[in-house]
Amino acid sequence: MSHFRLGAAVLFGAALALAQAPAVAGSGIAGPTVKVPLTPQQKLPAQQVKPIKLPCTRPRLDGIRPYQGYAGTTLTLTGRCFGPASNRHVVSLNQSLGGSRPPILQVRSWSDTRIVGVIPRSATPGYYDVYVHVWYNGHKRSSNHRNFRISRHGGTANATPKGGAAAHLKPGLANQRPSGLPQVQPRPGTLTRRCPDLVPKLRIGWPARHPDGSYIFKILMQAHNRGNAPFVSNRRQVRLNLYEGSRLLKSEVIPSRSFRQVTVNPGADSSAVVYTIEHWYKSGEFSASYKAMLVYDPDIRMDGNPQNDDCVTTNNTTFLRAAQIRHTLETNNVPTASR
């Protein structure tokens, strides 16, 4: 009986020691004092990620005051995303009819939303497109443009009439259009200097009629040089966009035989961009109109190549109205579309 009690005591003591001992790695035995290490995901609660406010990628020019003035006039530009003051940021005045190197505004103050500067005294009279060029992370970004007119000398530099629409009219010229609007441009035949001028062209071809009465045809879109000098540019700097109403159907660089360069001689056309219209209806309710637009790189006037500066900037859009398409279909023998 004493041996039995002694054996039971030994077994009880061994079990108690084993229960209080720490777990042995890999043994699969866990005592009440074992602590399992927590993973980093368990140690820290899930954090709310705050949205990161990205810097502006392109400046926006909203307004310019005044709209016209003489060389030496002080301009005030308003907008956003101009960035902090930097000696790399510039404001350029690009002549609407092309020309030599554009004048650079002599900046007096610069902030993210407001720029004040003076037009150089050397700037010549004419119509100008004003751009803001800023640098972000080593890359130049250009704003949209606003129109400005440098008048001929003969008055006070900052003389700006007050009032409504008449504020931008020359004294004594009641019929002059406001300088902030596109101005009438001379025809290419009247230009005395070498001047490339691309205009878009639209026409339809290969029409056929479906059994349901709708039509299928192809739209051919080209760039025509109506200027008096060759248009020579990098292939990525000019695009032809085709719209149906406000919907963009196709956007392509102007094609050419050379991959790197576009050349369109005076009076010549670029290669055609073709888009197929599958179902077009003659009825006024469903008939659609189309628009072709030439789109230039914003920095095209700053690349030092005058051969790709579009002389006339007011003729870069053309339309193909539904009535014109209807007339073409009605006056031609249109075959039935093959199934």
Side-chain angles (χ1 to χ4, degrees):
M1 189 68 177
S2 60
H3 293 288
F4 174 77
R5 291 179 179 176
L6 179 61
V10 171
L11 289 175
F12 177 77
L16 181 62
L18 191 61
Q20 294 179 349
V24 179
S27 65
I29 302 175
T33 59
V34 173
K35 295 183 180 179
V36 180
L38 298 177
T39 62
Q41 290 80 3
Q42 293 172 314
K43 287 182 178 180
L44 297 176
Q47 296 181 352
Q48 297 293 332
V49 179
K50 296 182 179 180
I52 300 175
K53 186 177 180 182
L54 297 176
C56 299
T57 57
R58 189 174 295 277
R60 173 71 187 182
L61 180 56
D62 294 329
I64 180 172
R65 293 291 185 276
Y67 293 105
Q68 71 173 5
Y70 306 100
T73 296
T74 298
L75 294 186
T76 301
L77 285 66
T78 56
R80 56 186 182 274
C81 299
F82 297 154
S86 170
N87 56 3
R88 300 192 72 182
H89 300 342
V90 296
V91 177
S92 67
L93 290 82
N94 305 276
Q95 279 195 299
S96 299
L97 293 180
S100 58
R101 183 181 295 274
I104 302 300
L105 196 72
Q106 299 171 355
V107 176
R108 296 291 180 261
S109 66
W110 188 296
S111 70
D112 190 58
T113 58
R114 188 171 181 266
I115 302 171
V116 178
V118 178
I119 298 176
R121 294 285 182 179
S122 59
T124 58
Y127 296 97
Y128 288 82
D129 300 330
V130 181
Y131 290 88
V132 179
H133 307 276
V134 302
W135 287 81
Y136 289 125
N137 298 326
H139 298 282
K140 185 173 72 171
R141 297 289 184 266
S142 300
S143 70
N144 57 304
H145 74 272
R146 293 293 177 181
N147 298 328
F148 183 81
R149 181 189 178 195
I150 298 181
S151 306
R152 296 188 180 277
H153 294 283
T156 305
N158 287 311
T160 304
K162 297 182 180 180
H168 309 304
L169 302 181
K170 260 189 176 181
L173 296 180
N175 295 325
Q176 180 180 329
R177 300 201 299 173
S179 62
L181 300 178
Q183 304 297 321
V184 177
Q185 309 289 359
R187 292 177 298 176
T190 64
L191 297 175
T192 58
R193 56 184 176 80
R194 294 180 63 79
C195 175
D197 178 28
L198 291 188
V199 297
K201 292 173 61 176
L202 274 180
R203 59 189 178 94
I204 67 172
W206 301 284
R209 185 171 183 176
H210 290 296
D212 64 354
S214 65
Y215 290 85
I216 178 175
F217 54 81
K218 297 183 185 298
I219 291 183
L220 286 83
M221 183 171 55
Q222 293 172 285
H224 174 76
N225 187 355
R226 65 191 291 266
N228 58 10
F231 179 89
V232 182
S233 180
N234 185 294
R235 192 171 186 263
R236 296 184 179 90
Q237 290 183 299
V238 187
R239 303 185 71 89
L240 269 172
N241 288 354
L242 178 65
Y243 297 87
E244 182 182 83
S246 59
R247 182 167 67 97
L248 178 64
L249 298 179
K250 193 164 189 175
S251 178
E252 284 200 10
V253 295
I254 297 179
S256 67
R257 294 180 180 178
S258 172
F259 178 77
R260 294 184 178 179
Q261 201 172 58
V262 174
T263 301
V264 183
N265 292 318
D269 298 332
S270 68
S271 302
V273 176
V274 181
Y275 185 85
T276 301
I277 303 298
E278 296 290 347
H279 290 277
W280 190 87
Y281 296 88
K282 289 175 57 177
S283 62
E285 183 180 357
F286 299 104
S287 56
S289 299
Y290 301 93
K291 176 178 70 173
M293 178 183 296
L294 280 165
V295 181
Y296 293 88
D297 187 286
D299 297 336
I300 197 166
R301 293 185 182 273
M302 300 291 292
D303 65 353
N305 176 22
Q307 289 184 293
N308 63 10
D309 292 343
D310 191 29
C311 284
V312 184
T313 59
T314 57
N315 57 10
N316 291 333
T317 302
T318 191
F319 294 88
L320 185 60
R321 307 289 184 185
Q324 297 172 273
I325 300 175
R326 192 178 301 113
H327 176 75
T328 302
L329 297 175
E330 291 174 349
T331 55
N332 288 274
N333 185 17
V334 179
T336 302
S338 58
R339 295 183 179 179

